[in-house]
Short mmCIF file of all heavy atoms in Angstrom, two decimals:
data_model
loop_
_atom_site.label_atom_id
_atom_site.label_comp_id
_atom_site.label_asym_id
_atom_site.label_seq_id
_atom_site.Cartn_x
_atom_site.Cartn_y
_atom_site.Cartn_z
N ALA A 94 0.84 -1.22 0.00
CA ALA A 94 0.00 -0.01 0.00
C ALA A 94 0.85 1.27 0.00
O ALA A 94 0.60 2.20 -0.78
CB ALA A 94 -0.95 0.01 1.19
N GLY A 95 1.84 1.32 0.86
CA GLY A 95 2.71 2.52 0.91
C GLY A 95 3.44 2.75 -0.38
O GLY A 95 3.48 3.89 -0.86
N ASN A 96 3.99 1.71 -0.96
CA ASN A 96 4.69 1.86 -2.23
C ASN A 96 3.74 2.27 -3.33
O ASN A 96 4.10 3.09 -4.18
CB ASN A 96 5.37 0.53 -2.62
CG ASN A 96 6.56 0.24 -1.72
OD1 ASN A 96 7.14 1.14 -1.13
ND2 ASN A 96 6.91 -1.03 -1.60
N ASN A 97 2.51 1.74 -3.32
CA ASN A 97 1.52 2.12 -4.33
C ASN A 97 1.15 3.59 -4.21
O ASN A 97 1.02 4.29 -5.21
CB ASN A 97 0.28 1.24 -4.23
CG ASN A 97 0.54 -0.20 -4.63
OD1 ASN A 97 1.51 -0.48 -5.32
ND2 ASN A 97 -0.30 -1.10 -4.18
N VAL A 98 0.95 4.05 -2.98
CA VAL A 98 0.62 5.46 -2.76
C VAL A 98 1.74 6.36 -3.28
O VAL A 98 1.49 7.32 -4.01
CB VAL A 98 0.32 5.74 -1.26
CG1 VAL A 98 0.25 7.23 -0.99
CG2 VAL A 98 -0.96 5.05 -0.85
N LEU A 99 2.96 6.04 -2.90
CA LEU A 99 4.09 6.85 -3.36
C LEU A 99 4.23 6.82 -4.89
O LEU A 99 4.49 7.84 -5.51
CB LEU A 99 5.40 6.39 -2.71
CG LEU A 99 5.64 6.90 -1.30
CD1 LEU A 99 6.88 6.27 -0.69
CD2 LEU A 99 5.75 8.41 -1.29
N ALA A 100 4.07 5.66 -5.47
CA ALA A 100 4.16 5.54 -6.94
C ALA A 100 3.09 6.39 -7.62
O ALA A 100 3.38 7.07 -8.62
CB ALA A 100 4.04 4.08 -7.35
N ASN A 101 1.88 6.39 -7.08
CA ASN A 101 0.81 7.21 -7.66
C ASN A 101 1.07 8.70 -7.45
O ASN A 101 0.84 9.50 -8.36
CB ASN A 101 -0.55 6.80 -7.10
CG ASN A 101 -1.04 5.53 -7.74
OD1 ASN A 101 -1.15 5.46 -8.96
ND2 ASN A 101 -1.34 4.54 -6.95
N LEU A 102 1.56 9.06 -6.29
CA LEU A 102 1.90 10.47 -6.05
C LEU A 102 3.02 10.92 -6.99
O LEU A 102 3.00 12.03 -7.51
CB LEU A 102 2.30 10.70 -4.59
CG LEU A 102 1.16 10.70 -3.60
CD1 LEU A 102 1.70 10.72 -2.16
CD2 LEU A 102 0.22 11.87 -3.84
N GLN A 103 4.00 10.04 -7.20
CA GLN A 103 5.09 10.35 -8.13
C GLN A 103 4.54 10.54 -9.55
O GLN A 103 4.94 11.45 -10.27
CB GLN A 103 6.16 9.24 -8.08
CG GLN A 103 7.26 9.34 -9.15
CD GLN A 103 8.25 10.44 -8.93
OE1 GLN A 103 8.00 11.44 -8.26
NE2 GLN A 103 9.41 10.29 -9.53
N ASP A 104 3.62 9.69 -9.93
CA ASP A 104 3.00 9.80 -11.25
C ASP A 104 2.24 11.13 -11.39
O ASP A 104 2.38 11.85 -12.39
CB ASP A 104 2.06 8.61 -11.48
CG ASP A 104 1.47 8.60 -12.89
OD1 ASP A 104 2.24 8.71 -13.86
OD2 ASP A 104 0.23 8.50 -13.00
N PHE A 105 1.45 11.47 -10.37
CA PHE A 105 0.74 12.76 -10.38
C PHE A 105 1.73 13.90 -10.48
O PHE A 105 1.52 14.85 -11.23
CB PHE A 105 -0.10 12.95 -9.12
CG PHE A 105 -1.29 12.04 -9.00
CD1 PHE A 105 -1.84 11.79 -7.75
CD2 PHE A 105 -1.87 11.45 -10.11
CE1 PHE A 105 -2.96 10.98 -7.63
CE2 PHE A 105 -2.98 10.63 -9.99
CZ PHE A 105 -3.53 10.39 -8.75
N ARG A 106 2.77 13.83 -9.69
CA ARG A 106 3.78 14.90 -9.65
C ARG A 106 4.44 15.10 -11.00
O ARG A 106 4.57 16.22 -11.49
CB ARG A 106 4.83 14.52 -8.59
CG ARG A 106 5.83 15.57 -8.26
CD ARG A 106 6.79 15.03 -7.22
NE ARG A 106 7.83 14.22 -7.81
CZ ARG A 106 8.84 14.70 -8.53
NH1 ARG A 106 8.96 15.99 -8.72
NH2 ARG A 106 9.77 13.91 -9.02
N THR A 107 4.86 14.01 -11.63
CA THR A 107 5.54 14.13 -12.93
C THR A 107 4.60 14.60 -14.02
O THR A 107 5.04 15.21 -15.01
CB THR A 107 6.22 12.81 -13.33
OG1 THR A 107 5.24 11.76 -13.39
CG2 THR A 107 7.33 12.44 -12.37
N LYS A 108 3.30 14.34 -13.85
CA LYS A 108 2.31 14.82 -14.83
C LYS A 108 1.83 16.24 -14.50
O LYS A 108 1.07 16.82 -15.27
CB LYS A 108 1.11 13.86 -14.87
CG LYS A 108 1.46 12.53 -15.50
CD LYS A 108 0.28 11.59 -15.48
CE LYS A 108 0.68 10.28 -16.15
NZ LYS A 108 -0.39 9.27 -15.99
N GLY A 109 2.25 16.75 -13.37
CA GLY A 109 1.88 18.12 -13.00
C GLY A 109 0.42 18.23 -12.54
O GLY A 109 -0.21 19.26 -12.77
N ILE A 110 -0.10 17.17 -11.90
CA ILE A 110 -1.46 17.21 -11.38
C ILE A 110 -1.47 16.88 -9.89
O ILE A 110 -0.62 16.15 -9.39
CB ILE A 110 -2.41 16.27 -12.14
CG1 ILE A 110 -1.91 14.82 -12.12
CG2 ILE A 110 -2.60 16.73 -13.58
CD1 ILE A 110 -2.86 13.81 -12.75
N LEU A 111 -2.42 17.46 -9.17
CA LEU A 111 -2.64 17.19 -7.75
C LEU A 111 -1.40 17.44 -6.86
O LEU A 111 -1.22 16.79 -5.85
CB LEU A 111 -3.17 15.77 -7.53
CG LEU A 111 -4.51 15.46 -8.16
CD1 LEU A 111 -4.90 14.01 -7.90
CD2 LEU A 111 -5.60 16.40 -7.66
N TYR A 112 -0.59 18.39 -7.23
CA TYR A 112 0.55 18.80 -6.40
C TYR A 112 0.10 20.00 -5.57
O TYR A 112 -0.88 20.66 -5.91
CB TYR A 112 1.76 19.14 -7.25
CG TYR A 112 1.51 20.24 -8.25
CD1 TYR A 112 1.69 21.57 -7.88
CD2 TYR A 112 1.07 19.96 -9.54
CE1 TYR A 112 1.43 22.60 -8.79
CE2 TYR A 112 0.82 20.98 -10.43
CZ TYR A 112 1.00 22.29 -10.06
OH TYR A 112 0.74 23.30 -10.93
N ASP A 113 0.83 20.28 -4.50
CA ASP A 113 0.46 21.46 -3.70
C ASP A 113 1.60 22.44 -3.46
O ASP A 113 1.45 23.42 -2.75
CB ASP A 113 -0.19 21.05 -2.38
CG ASP A 113 0.73 20.26 -1.46
OD1 ASP A 113 1.86 19.97 -1.86
OD2 ASP A 113 0.29 19.94 -0.34
N VAL A 114 2.76 22.16 -4.09
CA VAL A 114 3.88 23.09 -4.01
C VAL A 114 4.74 22.93 -5.25
O VAL A 114 4.84 21.84 -5.82
CB VAL A 114 4.71 22.88 -2.72
CG1 VAL A 114 5.43 21.55 -2.74
CG2 VAL A 114 5.67 24.02 -2.48
N VAL A 115 5.34 24.05 -5.68
CA VAL A 115 6.28 24.04 -6.79
C VAL A 115 7.58 24.61 -6.28
O VAL A 115 7.62 25.73 -5.75
CB VAL A 115 5.77 24.90 -7.98
CG1 VAL A 115 6.78 24.89 -9.10
CG2 VAL A 115 4.42 24.41 -8.47
N LEU A 116 8.65 23.83 -6.40
CA LEU A 116 9.97 24.32 -6.04
C LEU A 116 10.57 24.94 -7.28
O LEU A 116 10.71 24.28 -8.32
CB LEU A 116 10.85 23.17 -5.53
CG LEU A 116 10.31 22.35 -4.37
CD1 LEU A 116 11.27 21.24 -4.00
CD2 LEU A 116 10.03 23.26 -3.17
N LYS A 117 10.90 26.21 -7.20
CA LYS A 117 11.50 26.91 -8.33
C LYS A 117 13.00 27.02 -8.04
O LYS A 117 13.40 27.70 -7.09
CB LYS A 117 10.89 28.29 -8.50
CG LYS A 117 11.38 29.00 -9.74
CD LYS A 117 10.68 30.33 -9.93
CE LYS A 117 11.23 30.99 -11.17
NZ LYS A 117 10.75 32.35 -11.32
N ILE A 118 13.79 26.35 -8.86
CA ILE A 118 15.23 26.31 -8.66
C ILE A 118 15.88 26.58 -10.01
O ILE A 118 15.63 25.86 -10.99
CB ILE A 118 15.69 24.93 -8.13
CG1 ILE A 118 14.94 24.61 -6.83
CG2 ILE A 118 17.19 24.93 -7.89
CD1 ILE A 118 15.12 23.19 -6.36
N GLU A 119 16.68 27.64 -10.05
CA GLU A 119 17.29 28.10 -11.30
C GLU A 119 16.15 28.30 -12.29
O GLU A 119 15.23 29.06 -12.02
CB GLU A 119 18.37 27.11 -11.80
CG GLU A 119 19.54 27.00 -10.84
CD GLU A 119 20.50 25.85 -11.15
OE1 GLU A 119 20.18 25.00 -12.01
OE2 GLU A 119 21.56 25.80 -10.50
N ASP A 120 16.15 27.63 -13.41
CA ASP A 120 15.07 27.80 -14.38
C ASP A 120 14.12 26.60 -14.42
O ASP A 120 13.32 26.45 -15.33
CB ASP A 120 15.65 28.04 -15.78
CG ASP A 120 16.51 26.89 -16.27
OD1 ASP A 120 16.90 26.03 -15.44
OD2 ASP A 120 16.81 26.83 -17.47
N GLN A 121 14.19 25.76 -13.38
CA GLN A 121 13.37 24.56 -13.31
C GLN A 121 12.23 24.72 -12.31
O GLN A 121 12.38 25.38 -11.28
CB GLN A 121 14.19 23.34 -12.90
CG GLN A 121 14.66 22.52 -14.06
CD GLN A 121 15.22 21.18 -13.56
OE1 GLN A 121 15.80 21.07 -12.47
NE2 GLN A 121 15.07 20.17 -14.37
N MET A 122 11.14 24.06 -12.63
CA MET A 122 10.00 23.99 -11.72
C MET A 122 9.83 22.51 -11.33
O MET A 122 9.68 21.66 -12.21
CB MET A 122 8.71 24.48 -12.39
CG MET A 122 8.87 25.88 -13.00
SD MET A 122 8.94 27.15 -11.75
CE MET A 122 7.25 27.61 -11.67
N ILE A 123 9.88 22.23 -10.04
CA ILE A 123 9.72 20.86 -9.55
C ILE A 123 8.42 20.78 -8.77
O ILE A 123 8.27 21.42 -7.72
CB ILE A 123 10.93 20.47 -8.65
CG1 ILE A 123 12.24 20.59 -9.42
CG2 ILE A 123 10.73 19.07 -8.11
CD1 ILE A 123 13.48 20.43 -8.55
N PHE A 124 7.47 20.02 -9.29
CA PHE A 124 6.19 19.84 -8.64
C PHE A 124 6.35 18.83 -7.50
O PHE A 124 7.08 17.84 -7.64
CB PHE A 124 5.14 19.33 -9.63
CG PHE A 124 4.94 20.25 -10.80
CD1 PHE A 124 5.41 19.92 -12.05
CD2 PHE A 124 4.26 21.45 -10.63
CE1 PHE A 124 5.23 20.75 -13.12
CE2 PHE A 124 4.06 22.29 -11.72
CZ PHE A 124 4.56 21.96 -12.96
N ALA A 125 5.67 19.06 -6.40
CA ALA A 125 5.80 18.16 -5.25
C ALA A 125 4.60 18.28 -4.33
O ALA A 125 3.69 19.08 -4.56
CB ALA A 125 7.09 18.45 -4.50
N HIS A 126 4.63 17.48 -3.28
CA HIS A 126 3.62 17.50 -2.24
C HIS A 126 4.29 17.87 -0.92
O HIS A 126 5.29 17.25 -0.54
CB HIS A 126 2.96 16.12 -2.13
CG HIS A 126 2.34 15.67 -3.39
ND1 HIS A 126 3.03 14.94 -4.35
CD2 HIS A 126 1.09 15.87 -3.89
CE1 HIS A 126 2.23 14.70 -5.37
NE2 HIS A 126 1.06 15.25 -5.12
N ARG A 127 3.77 18.87 -0.28
CA ARG A 127 4.35 19.34 0.99
C ARG A 127 4.56 18.20 1.98
O ARG A 127 5.57 18.13 2.65
CB ARG A 127 3.46 20.39 1.63
CG ARG A 127 3.54 21.75 1.06
CD ARG A 127 2.47 22.65 1.73
NE ARG A 127 2.67 24.05 1.51
CZ ARG A 127 2.57 24.67 0.33
NH1 ARG A 127 2.30 23.98 -0.74
NH2 ARG A 127 2.77 25.96 0.23
#
């Protein structure tokens, strides 16, 4: 269950959906969950 949740959150993050924070570093935007 834990691995599945993380895998799905990673999938959402890489697709740019359902994230709640964006880390702006240099010219990159990294989507993530607080």
Side-chain angles (χ1 to χ4, degrees):
N96 289 336
N97 291 339
V98 168
L99 279 174
N101 282 305
L102 285 172
Q103 172 73 337
D104 185 51
F105 290 158
R106 189 181 81 74
T107 57
K108 290 178 179 172
I110 56 175
L111 298 178
Y112 58 88
D113 63 357
V114 68
V115 179
L116 304 179
K117 186 176 179 188
I118 304 169
E119 297 169 350
D120 60 345
Q121 263 192 328
M122 306 288 266
I123 301 171
F124 302 107
H126 302 90
R127 281 175 165 67

